[in-house]
Amino acid sequence: MDVRRATQRYQGGDPAAGITTRHAFSFGPHYDPDNLRFGALIACNEEHLAPGAGFDEHPHRDTEIVTWVVEGELTHRDSTGHETVIRPGDVQHLSAAAGVRHVERNDATAPLTFVQMWLTPGQPGGTPAYEVVRALPDSTPYAVPRAGALLHARRIAAGDRTPLPPAPYLYVHVVRGEVLLDGAQLGPGDAARITDAGEGLRAAAVTDAEVLVWEMEGEQAGV
């Protein structure tokens, strides 16, 4: 198990424009050849947008983009005609495939925080796709089949434990609260990268906590 602390994230964004970003992996000008990916996961960005701030239209391709809103409201518009507002507990999935353009903004009056995760598909190309699942239940993993991955959202009450799935690659990101994982205490923004996770691994909540868990088959080829 490799624990990465919130303080180790690369600082990005554009604070003058109301955007603060913390990158878990190499991203843009923050290049670290030893921190390019984990399994199919190539980005796990914590985004903080002030009211009125956002990312103007920009392109993506051959990337599975999954977004989890922590607080506030995220407005999404894309070149395939989708326009939605994503709220806490919702999962948004944009499969960029052969190419898509989108806009992400905080059009509300309160601050917005979300976690955006990028995964590489097993095969490039294809038709872009978009999906939103409202209020994803703890008991229902969200599948990203093109990347061979499942996302689990777990809300754990203080003193309780939740089992983690066995998988070749397991990525655990703490959204809020404090959890114990295999003897290590993790707080908000901390993450654990676990290879060859077996049966019996559990996350124990020190306080009320929310964690995102990626269960992955392995590294995808990407492009």
Side-chain angles (χ1 to χ4, degrees):
M1 184 173 73
D2 179 10
V3 173
R4 304 291 180 105
R5 298 297 179 184
T7 53
Q8 294 176 272
R9 287 174 169 262
Y10 309 111
Q11 298 185 19
D14 184 356
I19 302 171
T20 302
T21 307
R22 297 292 182 268
H23 304 289
F25 296 90
S26 288
F27 199 96
H30 306 287
Y31 179 72
D32 180 351
D34 297 321
N35 189 25
L36 299 177
R37 65 189 302 155
F38 180 75
L41 193 65
I42 57 172
C44 180
N45 300 335
E46 291 184 341
E47 303 283 2
H48 302 270
L49 272 60
F55 301 99
D56 293 334
E57 186 175 86
H58 57 280
H60 290 281
R61 60 169 304 212
D62 296 319
T63 309
E64 304 297 306
I65 303 170
V66 179
T67 304
W68 178 265
V69 172
V70 179
E71 61 179 359
E73 297 182 348
L74 172 65
T75 298
H76 165 96
R77 294 188 294 275
D78 66 45
S79 55
T80 63
H82 298 100
E83 182 168 351
T84 53
V85 175
I86 313 303
R87 299 179 176 86
D90 298 342
V91 170
Q92 175 187 255
H93 176 200
L94 175 63
S95 181
V100 69
R101 301 180 67 85
H102 74 154
V103 175
E104 297 167 297
R105 296 196 56 80
N106 179 6
D107 288 334
T109 58
L112 165 65
T113 300
F114 62 95
V115 181
Q116 187 168 94
M117 298 150 286
W118 297 8
L119 301 96
T120 52
Q123 297 293 330
T127 302
Y130 182 76
E131 182 179 38
V132 175
V133 176
R134 301 293 184 185
L136 182 73
D138 281 23
S139 58
T140 305
Y142 181 79
V144 183
R146 284 176 56 85
L150 291 170
L151 175 65
H152 304 259
R154 302 283 175 86
R155 296 96 167 169
I156 321 167
D160 288 349
R161 300 191 299 170
T162 187
L164 301 180
Y169 291 88
L170 205 63
Y171 187 88
V172 182
H173 171 83
V174 180
V175 176
R176 65 179 98 238
E178 303 279 342
V179 300
L180 284 173
L181 182 60
D182 198 26
Q185 185 159 335
L186 281 69
D190 292 346
R193 307 176 187 189
I194 306 164
T195 53
D196 299 322
E199 300 281 355
L201 186 63
R202 295 176 180 271
V206 178
T207 66
D208 289 350
E210 181 176 275
V211 298
L212 300 176
V213 181
W214 279 106
E215 174 187 354
M216 294 173 284
E217 297 172 2
E219 294 189 1
Q220 302 297 312
V223 292

